[in-house]
Every structure is written in structure tokens, then in C-alpha cells.
């Protein structure tokens, strides 16, 4: 998880004072356990998109399905309803409160809700289980497009051999998507919610 912490620190620095205090974050456990009557329940959980512990992490994993339903305007009550469980209070101050929601045995969502309104949500997941590995060999072209301000999310996906990013973080006006390659390298991009344009793209590979 060290790489992902570095990524979030980079994002915070790139947005300056707007992301101070509680904005840095990090986008219900229904795993079956038990007796003979639960095979049907387990099948239902699979159908709904929940990934059991230890299975591959993809953009269709339940944690990212839930991230797609959250926004920077989502309240605590709304987040509890969307995720299907009560958030666990982690820290609280005069300006913000941090909550965490377990999704399954190996993924969770963390939310920082500001007392003045607005929130940041981030997905926590084991990077070693990410299934779709991107090819970063087009990095020079990606970097060139970014420098002239014309790089969009769709273009980036195309340059990464069609691999969709994992919605790693949601903040006011933008989301952060993340990709990993077969060698353990990573790339992340901040994407404007309205235009799909990328304001920051970086990584280590």
C-alpha cells in the first residue's frame, strides 16, 4: 500500500491548499460463511459483483461499483445507504471526520467528510490482486499530450492498450484513476468530472 500512499500525497501537493486538512484520503462485508444453506447466498453475492477475499480486483469489483455511486457531495447518511452498512468513525476534529466502510474481506472504502460540506472517498484494495495489468510503453506519447493539455481519460485508456483505470479516489470536481503493470509499477491520473480531461498524470515504473 506504500505506492498508493505516495500517489495520494502527490495528488494533494498538485492541488495545493484546496486539498488541505481532511481532503487527502487515501473511489459491507457480505461474504458467506457457514452451513449448507448458504451456497445460494454466495451465488447471489457473486451476481451482485462482490469479490470474495483473495479473488482478482477489477473495475467491476464491488468496491468500484460502490465508488461509482459516491460523489464529493455524498453525506454520511447517503454513504451508509449506498454502501449498505454504517461507517466506522476513525478520527474526528472540528473540521472533518474520517470513516471507513468494509466492503469485503480485502477491500474497503474510506471517507473524509468535512464539517463545512463536501467529502473525499477512496478505495482500499490489495494491489497484488489487480487483474488487468497495463502496458506503459506509450509513456512518452502520454507525457507529450499531457504537457500540451489535450490528454483525456479515453485517450489514456487507448494508450494503455484499452485497460480501464481503477477509480481510486473521489474529490470535489475530479477523480483519480490508477493502473498497474506486470512488474509492479503504477500510473495514476486525475480526471476532471465534467470534461474528462486529465490535470495530473504520473507514476513509477
Amino acid at each position: 500500500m506504500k505506492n498508493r500512499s505516495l500517489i495520494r500525497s502527490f495528488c494533494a501537493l498538485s492541488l495545493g491548499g484546496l486539498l488541505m486538512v481532511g481532503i487527502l484520503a487515501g473511489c459491507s462485508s457480505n461474504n458467506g460463511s457457514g452451513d449448507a444453506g448458504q451456497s445460494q447466498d454466495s451465488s447471489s453475492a457473486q451476481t451482485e459483483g462482490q469479490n470474495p477475499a483473495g479473488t482478482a480486483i477489477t473495475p467491476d469489483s464491488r468496491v468500484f461499483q460502490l465508488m461509482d455511486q459516491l460523489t464529493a457531495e455524498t453525506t454520511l447518511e447517503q454513504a451508509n445507504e449506498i454502501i449498505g452498512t454504517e461507517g466506522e468513525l476513525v478520527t474526528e476534529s472540528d473540521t472533518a471526520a474520517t470513516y471507513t466502510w468494509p466492503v469485503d474481506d480485502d477491500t474497503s472504502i474510506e471517507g473524509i467528510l468535512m464539517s463545512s460540506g463536501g467529502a473525499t472517498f477512496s478505495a482500499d484494495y490489495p494491489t497484488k490482486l489487480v487483474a488487468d495489468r497495463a502496458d506503459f510503453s506509450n509513456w512518452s506519447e502520454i507525457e507529450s499530450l499531457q504537457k500540451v493539455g489535450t490528454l483525456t481519460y479515453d485517450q489514456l485508456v487507448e494508450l494503455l492498450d484499452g485497460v480501464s483505470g481503477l477509480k481510486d479516489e473521489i474529490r470535489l470536481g475530479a477523480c483519480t484513476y490508477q493502473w498497474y503493470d506486470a512488474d509492479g509499477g503504477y500510473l495514476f491520473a486525475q480526471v476532471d468530472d465534467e470534461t474528462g480531461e486529465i490535470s495530473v498524470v504520473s507514476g513509477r515504473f
Side-chain angles (χ1 to χ4, degrees):
M1 307 293 279
K2 180 178 179 181
N3 287 344
R4 299 182 61 249
S5 297
L6 291 173
I7 290 170
R8 290 176 184 163
S9 297
F10 186 97
C11 293
L13 290 173
S14 70
L15 295 180
L18 186 61
L19 303 179
M20 290 177 63
V21 190
I23 297 299
L24 182 63
C27 327
S28 63
S29 177
N30 290 324
N31 281 336
S33 64
D35 52 31
Q38 291 201 329
S39 59
Q40 184 176 354
D41 293 339
S42 178
S43 298
S44 298
Q46 293 281 358
T47 302
E48 293 169 2
Q50 180 174 354
N51 60 296
T55 60
I57 300 294
T58 74
D60 293 326
S61 296
R62 185 167 179 261
V63 65
F64 298 113
Q65 293 182 3
L66 294 172
M67 287 286 284
D68 282 339
Q69 299 177 56
L70 299 168
T71 73
E73 288 79 33
T74 299
T75 65
L76 175 61
E77 292 75 16
Q78 291 170 334
N80 288 339
E81 183 176 354
I82 290 168
I83 299 171
T85 187
E86 296 288 320
E88 301 173 10
L89 181 62
V90 179
T91 61
E92 188 173 22
S93 69
D94 292 338
T95 57
T98 300
Y99 293 85
T100 185
W101 291 264
V103 176
D104 56 36
D105 285 348
D106 52 18
T107 65
S108 63
I109 292 174
E110 183 178 86
I112 298 178
L113 291 91
M114 308 302 295
S115 57
S116 58
T120 296
F121 293 97
S122 60
D124 287 314
Y125 51 92
T127 59
K128 66 181 180 180
L129 296 180
V130 173
D132 299 327
R133 299 287 169 160
D135 182 353
F136 299 153
S137 59
N138 289 325
W139 171 248
S140 295
E141 185 175 355
I142 292 170
E143 193 173 32
S144 296
L145 289 171
Q146 168 61 17
K147 285 181 178 179
V148 297
T150 60
L151 183 63
T152 67
Y153 174 79
D154 289 340
Q155 287 176 312
L156 182 55
V157 169
E158 184 177 350
L159 290 167
L160 295 175
D161 290 339
V163 176
S164 298
L166 301 175
K167 185 178 281 188
D168 188 73
E169 192 171 48
I170 299 165
R171 64 179 73 239
L172 186 62
C175 294
T176 299
Y177 291 84
Q178 208 153 302
W179 292 260
Y180 299 88
D181 67 11
D183 299 320
Y186 63 86
L187 184 150
F188 68 93
Q190 287 184 357
V191 183
D192 185 276
D193 287 341
E194 294 185 1
T195 66
E197 295 177 351
I198 292 175
S199 58
V200 176
V201 60
S202 189
R204 180 177 296 173
F205 43 88

